[in-house]
Amino acid sequence: MRIECLGGDDPELAVVGGIHGDEPCGINAVERVLDDPPELDRPVKFIVANEEAIAAGERYLEEDLNRAFPGDPDGPTHESRLAARLTEELDGCLVFSMHSTQSYDGTFALIHEPDARVRPVLKHLSVDAVVDVGSHSDGRLFDAVPTTIEVECGYQGSDQATENASRLLREFLGATGALPQERTPEADSVPLFRLDRQIPKDEASSYAVYASNFEQVAEGEPFAAADDREVTADEPFYPVLMSPYGYETVFGYTAQRLGTVEEFDQLAE
């Protein structure tokens, strides 16, 4: 795990790339900042997390790091031990963690029961949507550090994902006062969702997804297929992280639309 601090000592802000070794966008975004460090008004900790998985070109070595938190310093896997170290390193920080996906070419943020430190930042991120993971936080960084904002930056391995990650990183630094010249106006009408349930997929030789992420699927509408067997919605829902091959056993998630990010404070009451 690589850790570098800019802007002073005792940072309360942290930026993380490389939770998954096969998602280079966050790693590249961190490296860009470290290669040409800006003058920061607040100290920030920059972390490249799973260097061993990155070197191997794999998502992880023994288990998914973002399902291993809070970890165990004496755990049986590399990721379990790394999760414990990362949990300790991020304790007390407002965390910005960058990812990429196989399901969506745009950007969206993931949160879990955000507090007063997290909510104002979301209003200054140029994302297509914000998603509360709800009951699906087990083992994720949220479990160990609730003040975490994860961002999905685009298609895994794409140049655009790196550009998106770099832009969103600077927006995070602007929103938190570390790089005030990068502070953007509050976003207008960004939709807010909450994950509901996973959508299982049967064993098959091929899969297809007809639905578009964040666009409502109507009751009775076919939205995916396993071989020639269509999967039909038994009630209306919004698909999130939906793709044919992004997960081994599920297509993705159903979600409810709660409102907009601008209404977040009212919804949180």
Side-chain angles (χ1 to χ4, degrees):
M1 181 166 61
R2 178 185 177 189
I3 305 167
E4 295 199 29
C5 292
L6 300 178
D9 299 324
D10 301 321
E12 296 179 346
L13 303 174
V15 173
V16 181
I19 290 281
H20 294 131
D22 60 352
E23 296 180 4
C25 64
I27 304 159
N28 294 340
V30 168
E31 295 289 355
R32 284 184 178 183
V33 172
L34 296 179
D35 287 346
D36 186 17
E39 291 289 334
L40 298 179
D41 287 6
R42 294 181 65 184
V44 182
K45 185 180 298 186
F46 293 86
I47 297 176
V48 176
N50 200 343
E51 291 186 293
E52 292 81 0
I54 295 165
E58 300 289 346
R59 185 172 181 81
Y60 53 83
L61 297 187
E62 296 175 280
E63 67 171 316
D64 189 333
L65 178 56
N66 210 24
R67 299 297 184 272
F69 289 100
D72 180 346
D74 300 312
T77 68
H78 162 71
E79 277 79 15
S80 177
R81 297 186 294 273
L82 179 58
R85 290 173 56 206
L86 193 52
T87 296
E88 182 178 4
E89 197 65 44
L90 296 174
D91 183 46
C93 288
L94 177 60
V95 179
F96 188 74
S97 179
M98 294 165 287
H99 294 262
S100 54
T101 177
Q102 296 184 32
S103 64
Y104 189 66
D105 64 350
T107 61
F108 61 98
L110 294 151
I111 54 173
H112 183 235
E113 298 179 353
D115 67 5
R117 294 177 68 190
V118 171
R119 292 197 298 271
V121 175
L122 298 171
K123 298 176 183 179
H124 295 277
L125 299 179
S126 57
V127 292
D128 299 333
V130 173
V131 180
D132 189 325
V133 300
S135 62
H136 299 281
S137 66
D138 287 355
R140 299 178 72 131
L141 183 53
F142 304 116
D143 255 4
V145 188
T147 51
T148 292
I149 300 169
E150 290 186 358
V151 287
E152 295 287 353
C153 300
Y155 282 140
Q156 186 175 333
S158 68
D159 291 341
Q160 188 60 57
T162 290
E163 295 305 316
N164 291 342
S166 295
R167 183 191 76 248
L168 290 168
L169 189 163
R170 287 186 167 269
E171 290 174 358
F172 171 76
L173 297 178
T176 54
L179 202 60
Q181 64 269 32
E182 296 288 345
R183 185 178 177 89
T184 58
E186 289 193 7
D188 183 33
S189 300
V190 176
L192 173 66
F193 300 87
R194 178 178 292 135
L195 295 186
D196 187 4
R197 60 182 177 85
Q198 292 182 322
I199 303 171
K201 61 182 184 184
D202 295 337
E203 186 173 345
S205 58
S206 65
Y207 299 95
V209 167
Y210 314 137
S212 297
N213 283 287
F214 304 115
E215 295 184 14
Q216 189 175 40
V217 174
E219 181 179 354
E221 180 181 348
F223 63 86
D227 289 336
D228 296 328
R229 303 183 300 276
E230 288 191 330
V231 185
T232 302
D234 53 13
E235 61 182 1
F237 72 91
Y238 289 89
V240 175
L241 289 166
M242 184 87 73
S243 69
Y245 300 104
Y247 299 101
E248 290 185 8
T249 60
V250 300
F251 283 108
Y253 296 84
T254 69
Q256 304 172 33
R257 180 164 177 170
L258 303 181
T260 66
V261 171
E262 294 88 333
E263 301 165 335
F264 215 151
D265 290 332
Q266 296 170 289
L267 293 166
E269 291 176 357

